[in-house]
């Protein structure tokens, strides 16, 4: 339904040509490669793999479209990934209107940028926070925290990352120390509260 609405608005009201659409991460990458669009309107939460992985995959192509992300998720983990993804725009679904979508599409289509006020404030706050989790945790530790947020056991994490259970335990205790946590229950609460619950890729 959302894709139908977006297509109708983009074509009927805004006058854009919609060259393709997809309902999964892999499908989005395939359609971008096939149609080579000027602009990609991308939801972050997709089956198969998420929008951030879509961004990584299409950046490997010669013709990279401008990217306008639309999402209702603004948790700490998502904000940190938005700040690092070098996208050209972001619309927060919560409270945004068709007028906002028109403004954002026009800005990004003209090689500008558009970030809704809410997400801009969150990105600025995150970048200025020396105690942010990604300033304290390594990439591997963030991956382990992500999997803990998905309720994977140490052994399941070890299998997924092709490392030993002892290495997973070492990462977990490093996370405890760096975040000032004392138990797995506190760690799992932290993971859920800060958005670490995406499917691992």
């Amino acid at each position: 339904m959302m894709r139908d609405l977006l297509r109708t608005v983009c074509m009927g009201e805004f006058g854009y040509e919609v060259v393709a659409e997809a309902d999964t991460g892999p499908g989005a990458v395939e359609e971008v490669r096939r149609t080579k669009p000027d602009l990609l309107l991308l939801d972050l939460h997709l089956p198969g793999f998420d929008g951030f992985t879509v961004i990584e995959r299409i950046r490997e192509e010669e013709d990279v479209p401008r990217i306008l992300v639309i999402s209702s998720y603004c948790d700490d983990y998502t904000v940190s990934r938005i700040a690092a993804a070098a996208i050209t725009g972001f619309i927060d679904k919560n409270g945004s209107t068709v007028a906002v979508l028109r403004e954002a599409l026009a800005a990004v289509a003209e090689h500008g940028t558009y970030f809704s006020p809410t997400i801009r404030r969150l990105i600025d706050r995150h970048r200025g926070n020396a105690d942010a989790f990604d300033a304290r945790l390594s990439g591997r530790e963030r991956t382990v925290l992500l999997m803990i947020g998905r309720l994977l056991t140490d052994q399941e994490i070890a299998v997924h990352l092709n490392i030993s259970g002892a290495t997973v335990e070492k990462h977990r205790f490093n996370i405890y120390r760096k975040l000032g946590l004392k138990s797995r229950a506190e760690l799992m609460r932290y993971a859920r509260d800060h958005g670490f619950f995406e499917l691992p890729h």
Side-chain angles (χ1 to χ4, degrees):
M1 183 176 65
M2 178 60 71
R3 291 204 322 275
D4 285 346
L5 288 171
L6 287 172
R7 185 195 325 108
T8 300
V9 169
C10 287
M11 295 180 67
E13 294 192 32
F14 301 165
Y16 291 100
E17 179 187 4
V18 177
V19 297
E21 58 184 85
D23 58 3
T24 67
V29 173
E30 180 180 345
E31 290 300 328
V32 168
R33 288 172 175 168
R34 183 180 68 83
T35 62
K36 302 186 185 307
D38 297 312
L39 190 152
L40 173 64
L41 182 59
L42 179 67
D43 199 319
L44 290 180
H45 293 262
L46 298 168
F49 49 68
D50 68 11
F52 290 111
T53 305
V54 172
I55 293 169
E56 292 171 4
R57 299 283 175 86
I58 65 175
R59 287 204 188 283
E60 298 171 356
E61 304 298 310
E62 291 184 7
D63 299 311
V64 179
R66 292 179 289 282
I67 301 170
L68 175 61
V69 167
I70 179 169
S71 180
S72 59
Y73 291 84
C74 295
D75 53 73
D76 290 348
Y77 180 58
T78 300
V79 170
S80 73
R81 298 180 79 189
I82 292 167
I87 58 176
T88 44
F90 183 98
I91 299 173
D92 178 9
K93 285 182 185 177
N94 301 313
S96 292
T97 64
V98 171
V100 169
L101 177 61
R102 181 196 296 270
E103 180 183 356
L105 283 169
V108 173
E110 293 300 319
H111 299 272
T113 61
Y114 182 92
F115 291 86
S116 60
T118 299
I119 197 66
R120 189 175 294 280
R121 284 194 300 271
L122 291 173
I123 290 173
D124 289 345
R125 187 178 69 185
H126 179 81
R127 286 176 170 164
N129 182 7
D131 290 326
F133 66 84
D134 54 344
R136 290 185 283 172
L137 302 181
S138 69
R140 180 49 63 92
E141 288 164 352
R142 292 197 296 272
T143 299
V144 170
L145 181 57
L146 179 65
M147 295 181 181
I148 290 171
R150 290 213 62 245
L151 308 180
L152 272 66
T153 66
D154 283 2
Q155 190 55 44
E156 289 170 331
I157 295 171
V159 170
H160 186 83
L161 297 179
N162 196 27
I163 58 179
S164 70
T167 301
V168 174
E169 186 175 359
K170 179 180 178 182
H171 286 313
R172 181 159 46 83
F173 279 101
N174 283 340
I175 296 169
Y176 286 157
R177 177 175 53 81
K178 292 179 179 181
L179 297 181
L181 305 175
K182 297 180 180 178
S183 69
R184 190 178 184 93
E186 286 185 5
L187 187 58
M188 291 172 67
R189 244 189 332 268
Y190 181 98
R192 302 296 295 185
D193 289 347
H194 290 78
F196 285 86
F197 49 82
E198 289 299 317
L199 286 170
H201 306 296

